[in-house]
Amino acid sequence: MDTSQMSRIQDDFDASLKTVEDARSLQDLKVRYLGKKGEVTGLMKEMRNLSNEERPAYGQKVNELRQHIDAAVEEKRAEIEAAALEERLKSETIDVTLPGRTFNIGSQHPISRIIEDIEDFFLGLGYEIQEGYEVETDYYNFEALNLPKSHPARDMQDTFYISEEILLRTHTSPVQARVLEARGGKEAVKIICPGKVYRRDSDDATHSHQFTQIEGLVIDKNIHMSDLKGTLELFAKEIFGGEREIRLRPSFFPFTEPSVEVDISCFKCKGAGCSVCKKSGWIEILGAGMVHPNVLRMAGYDPDEYSGFAFGMGPDRVAMLKYGIEDIRHLYTNDLRFINQFKQTEDGGETLESL
Ligand code: FA5
């Protein structure tokens, strides 16, 4: 039995092992000696050419060599893994004493803030919030609101048409028509509908081609103009301050009869006359009226049994008045120098009232 070949293999292996630095080359080395075509496996295959007397001693030697290689590979593997772990621990060290990074807390957009305050007020009075579609049909935006095709009052709201029958809604009033229709002419209705609306108005300091509105609608038996006035009076005091008064001026909307424009006494000069109220002591805030019998009829309500009021206001204009914003375009250009002026206190509890 020639054991010198075994010693040479062991020496070669030991020398190669010293050069191994990673798990992959260690595996290659193991395969080179113990794999199917490996050198030690080759020695094992030699056994069948030996005599019965030689075989046990030879087998034992080859086994010892195999065990030596196996053990050395495992030891090296543990070493490599420990080094890798050490390396990872070093690179992932966290210094818990470092001060945290500060990050900028955003602020609520003034329009969202006004809308939320107005929603809170009406939710408190038992109204539901309803949302409609910004892309509307001509029927709900106009016809169902007593504005048949070619009615001259359509000119009051210059419209973005998508096709002859589809348009970008010019006001939130189509939500009224949809809700009334959905309630099937029987149920009472008490809703507000906030949302974006679009008009082909040229942008200037007080007009935007896209702005927001909040619609209000109350339908029931025995609803009168006095209910509308009482509701809006409460609203003005809540949003603009306790001493506010309102006044109603006759106006025209095709979907209400009678129709009114609603003014509040100026919160800046308290009625004495200033630049905010253009020296009149009053500021216009919304349009309103008693729902036109034609609108009720078209949605299946009997106007002899049901009546109601509706109003529509522009939160953009309310925000401008409330915060003294002189140009509506500031609300849409997303300039952080403007938006950051509306940062809330840490508890988020600042109300419009406190500004
Ligand atoms: C209407 O849109 C009616 N649908 C309101 C209404 C509803 C009346 C229910 C009666 C019953 P008006 O066109 O006046 O009305 O618009 C209402 C409010 O939207 C205005 O008071 C104003 O605050 C705002 N608004 C109108 N046009 C613009 C514009 N281009 N940019 C910004 N705000 C606007």
Side-chain angles (χ1 to χ4, degrees):
M1 184 177 68
D2 177 13
T3 54
S4 66
Q5 198 189 356
M6 289 190 206
S7 318
R8 184 196 49 79
I9 291 177
Q10 181 161 340
D11 291 347
D12 279 357
F13 168 80
D14 288 345
S16 303
L17 187 66
K18 287 201 181 104
T19 67
V20 164
E21 280 178 355
D22 57 60
R24 202 193 159 96
S25 26
L26 181 66
Q27 184 61 18
D28 289 347
L29 185 67
K30 184 176 175 184
V31 169
R32 202 164 94 211
Y33 288 91
L34 302 183
K36 253 194 205 161
K37 293 184 183 155
E39 295 198 39
V40 177
T41 319
L43 290 178
M44 301 277 246
K45 284 181 190 154
E46 291 289 315
M47 292 232 293
R48 69 186 127 168
N49 303 327
L50 297 177
S51 65
N52 284 348
E53 293 77 47
E54 284 174 315
R55 209 173 278 147
Y58 181 86
Q60 192 187 348
K61 284 276 174 206
V62 178
N63 242 339
E64 278 168 15
L65 177 58
R66 219 188 61 199
Q67 280 162 4
H68 168 77
I69 292 177
D70 244 342
V73 165
E74 283 322 304
E75 195 182 321
K76 188 77 177 177
R77 195 189 306 283
E79 241 173 64
I80 290 172
E81 280 171 6
L85 179 66
E86 183 75 9
E87 197 58 33
R88 232 179 65 211
L89 286 176
K90 248 192 240 159
S91 69
E92 289 177 5
T93 308
I94 297 171
D95 180 354
V96 290
T97 63
L98 272 180
R101 287 198 193 109
T102 54
F103 53 91
N104 237 347
I105 296 175
S107 56
Q108 203 179 18
H109 194 278
I111 296 181
S112 312
R113 212 158 151 185
I114 290 280
I115 290 178
E116 246 174 48
D117 277 16
I118 295 174
E119 283 176 352
D120 279 352
F121 168 73
F122 282 105
L123 285 172
L125 293 185
Y127 284 65
E128 292 168 54
I129 297 178
Q130 288 282 341
E131 285 183 3
Y133 305 111
E134 288 175 33
V135 178
E136 250 306 353
T137 60
D138 183 275
Y139 176 77
Y140 287 109
N141 195 77
F142 290 127
E143 284 182 56
L145 295 167
N146 203 27
L147 272 152
K149 293 224 160 65
S150 76
H151 191 293
R154 283 193 178 208
D155 292 349
M156 289 162 75
Q157 302 182 359
D158 212 351
T159 310
F160 287 111
Y161 278 94
I162 290 170
S163 68
E164 215 166 293
E165 292 301 325
I166 312 279
L167 45 78
L168 294 184
R169 69 176 176 193
T170 54
H171 51 175
T172 41
S173 302
V175 188
Q176 278 192 40
R178 284 185 176 276
V179 171
L180 284 176
E181 191 184 82
R183 303 276 162 104
K186 297 260 174 301
E187 290 169 45
V189 177
K190 206 168 165 193
I191 54 167
I192 53 162
C193 331
K196 292 196 194 95
V197 301
Y198 304 84
R199 287 188 198 174
R200 290 182 55 186
D201 287 346
S202 309
D203 290 359
D204 63 22
T206 52
H207 292 83
S208 172
H209 59 281
Q210 180 221 293
F211 56 101
T212 55
Q213 282 194 340
I214 297 184
E215 192 84 5
L217 174 71
V218 173
I219 300 289
D220 207 341
K221 293 173 182 165
N222 296 316
I223 298 288
H224 304 287
M225 193 86 176
S226 51
D227 298 309
L228 169 64
K229 191 169 179 216
T231 305
L232 294 178
E233 229 156 34
L234 261 180
F235 163 77
K237 287 182 194 306
E238 172 74 18
I239 300 297
F240 291 100
E243 325 88 75
R244 296 289 75 73
E245 287 173 38
I246 63 165
R247 80 174 179 189
L248 309 186
R249 281 181 293 112
S251 184
F252 170 76
F253 296 104
F255 29 90
T256 47
E257 180 60 33
S259 301
V260 289
E261 296 280 359
V262 180
D263 299 339
I264 57 165
S265 56
C266 181
F267 49 81
K268 186 139 193 227
C269 64
K270 312 225 169 344
C274 69
S275 61
V276 172
C277 61
K278 301 197 183 83
K279 307 250 179 283
S280 71
W282 295 93
I283 301 170
E284 182 187 317
I285 52 163
L286 54 87
M290 300 306 289
V291 177
H292 197 291
N294 285 352
V295 174
L296 289 172
R297 229 176 265 122
M298 262 185 280
Y301 281 81
D302 177 359
D304 292 330
E305 203 183 341
Y306 284 94
S307 57
F309 64 76
F311 55 84
M313 65 183 86
D316 304 40
R317 298 262 177 89
V318 175
M320 289 172 77
L321 290 172
K322 186 80 202 176
Y323 302 130
I325 299 164
E326 80 286 358
D327 194 320
I328 195 168
R329 288 168 290 201
H330 289 317
L331 293 170
Y332 291 103
T333 41
N334 293 332
D335 184 335
L336 286 179
R337 288 169 303 177
F338 170 76
I339 307 260
N340 282 340
Q341 294 177 56
F342 297 89
K343 279 219 161 111
Q344 280 167 303
T345 52
E346 257 183 16
D347 62 3
E350 204 165 32
T351 63
L352 293 177
E353 207 57 34
S354 65
L355 276 175

